[in-house]
mmCIF file of all heavy atoms in Angstrom:
data_model
loop_
_atom_site.group_PDB
_atom_site.id
_atom_site.type_symbol
_atom_site.label_atom_id
_atom_site.label_comp_id
_atom_site.label_asym_id
_atom_site.label_seq_id
_atom_site.Cartn_x
_atom_site.Cartn_y
_atom_site.Cartn_z
ATOM 1 N N GLU A 9 -151.740 36.209 220.768
ATOM 2 C CA GLU A 9 -152.664 35.675 219.807
ATOM 3 C C GLU A 9 -154.027 36.157 219.994
ATOM 4 O O GLU A 9 -154.410 36.304 221.145
ATOM 5 C CB GLU A 9 -152.541 34.083 219.897
ATOM 6 C CG GLU A 9 -151.288 33.464 219.654
ATOM 7 C CD GLU A 9 -150.811 33.705 218.157
ATOM 8 O OE1 GLU A 9 -151.690 33.694 217.234
ATOM 9 O OE2 GLU A 9 -149.633 33.958 218.025
ATOM 10 N N LEU A 18 -168.481 36.020 225.964
ATOM 11 C CA LEU A 18 -168.722 35.472 227.270
ATOM 12 C C LEU A 18 -168.213 36.381 228.366
ATOM 13 O O LEU A 18 -168.880 36.527 229.433
ATOM 14 C CB LEU A 18 -168.105 34.116 227.401
ATOM 15 C CG LEU A 18 -168.249 33.261 228.695
ATOM 16 C CD1 LEU A 18 -169.673 32.832 228.800
ATOM 17 C CD2 LEU A 18 -167.350 32.022 228.612
ATOM 18 N N GLY A 32 -177.504 46.212 240.338
ATOM 19 C CA GLY A 32 -178.679 46.732 239.704
ATOM 20 C C GLY A 32 -178.452 47.762 238.699
ATOM 21 O O GLY A 32 -179.318 48.713 238.341
ATOM 22 N N ALA A 61 -174.423 60.377 242.244
ATOM 23 C CA ALA A 61 -173.684 60.205 243.535
ATOM 24 C C ALA A 61 -174.007 58.821 244.105
ATOM 25 O O ALA A 61 -173.427 58.418 245.107
ATOM 26 C CB ALA A 61 -174.223 61.243 244.531
ATOM 27 N N GLY A 78 -155.534 47.594 229.300
ATOM 28 C CA GLY A 78 -154.804 47.580 227.998
ATOM 29 C C GLY A 78 -153.368 47.768 228.174
ATOM 30 O O GLY A 78 -152.659 47.114 227.556
ATOM 31 N N SER A 81 -152.258 44.287 229.387
ATOM 32 C CA SER A 81 -152.131 43.346 228.264
ATOM 33 C C SER A 81 -150.780 43.638 227.473
ATOM 34 O O SER A 81 -150.155 42.656 226.987
ATOM 35 C CB SER A 81 -153.399 43.596 227.401
ATOM 36 O OG SER A 81 -153.293 42.842 226.325
ATOM 37 N N ALA A 101 -153.373 63.125 207.038
ATOM 38 C CA ALA A 101 -153.723 64.116 207.967
ATOM 39 C C ALA A 101 -152.632 65.237 208.093
ATOM 40 O O ALA A 101 -152.816 66.246 208.806
ATOM 41 C CB ALA A 101 -153.901 63.563 209.377
ATOM 42 N N LEU A 112 -158.250 64.278 218.396
ATOM 43 C CA LEU A 112 -159.026 65.164 219.344
ATOM 44 C C LEU A 112 -160.352 65.683 218.879
ATOM 45 O O LEU A 112 -161.307 65.446 219.571
ATOM 46 C CB LEU A 112 -158.136 66.538 219.611
ATOM 47 C CG LEU A 112 -158.862 67.427 220.681
ATOM 48 C CD1 LEU A 112 -158.906 66.850 221.984
ATOM 49 C CD2 LEU A 112 -157.920 68.739 220.690
ATOM 50 N N GLY A 113 -160.524 65.918 217.617
ATOM 51 C CA GLY A 113 -161.789 66.310 216.940
ATOM 52 C C GLY A 113 -162.615 65.118 216.989
ATOM 53 O O GLY A 113 -163.958 65.312 217.251
ATOM 54 N N LEU A 117 -166.325 64.764 218.925
ATOM 55 C CA LEU A 117 -167.540 64.497 218.178
ATOM 56 C C LEU A 117 -168.166 63.270 218.762
ATOM 57 O O LEU A 117 -169.446 63.152 218.926
ATOM 58 C CB LEU A 117 -167.234 64.274 216.776
ATOM 59 C CG LEU A 117 -167.011 65.545 215.986
ATOM 60 C CD1 LEU A 117 -166.571 65.298 214.437
ATOM 61 C CD2 LEU A 117 -168.275 66.478 215.945
ATOM 62 N N GLY A 121 -171.855 63.188 220.304
ATOM 63 C CA GLY A 121 -172.838 62.294 219.768
ATOM 64 C C GLY A 121 -173.399 61.298 220.787
ATOM 65 O O GLY A 121 -174.566 60.877 220.734
ATOM 66 N N GLY A 140 -183.530 44.308 223.871
ATOM 67 C CA GLY A 140 -184.453 44.540 222.713
ATOM 68 C C GLY A 140 -184.936 45.761 222.513
ATOM 69 O O GLY A 140 -186.062 46.030 221.999
ATOM 70 N N SER A 144 -181.871 51.346 220.672
ATOM 71 C CA SER A 144 -180.601 50.728 220.665
ATOM 72 C C SER A 144 -180.282 49.953 219.390
ATOM 73 O O SER A 144 -179.222 49.992 218.919
ATOM 74 C CB SER A 144 -180.332 49.908 221.971
ATOM 75 O OG SER A 144 -180.373 50.693 223.020
ATOM 76 N N ALA A 147 -179.737 52.513 216.820
ATOM 77 C CA ALA A 147 -178.419 53.150 217.022
ATOM 78 C C ALA A 147 -177.296 52.356 216.505
ATOM 79 O O ALA A 147 -176.335 52.731 215.943
ATOM 80 C CB ALA A 147 -178.367 53.534 218.403
ATOM 81 N N GLY A 166 -156.776 56.203 200.412
ATOM 82 C CA GLY A 166 -155.492 55.792 200.812
ATOM 83 C C GLY A 166 -155.000 55.872 202.288
ATOM 84 O O GLY A 166 -153.787 55.920 202.522
#
Side-chain angles (χ1 to χ4, degrees):
E9 296 296 320
L18 183 61
S81 176
L112 178 65
L117 288 174
S144 291

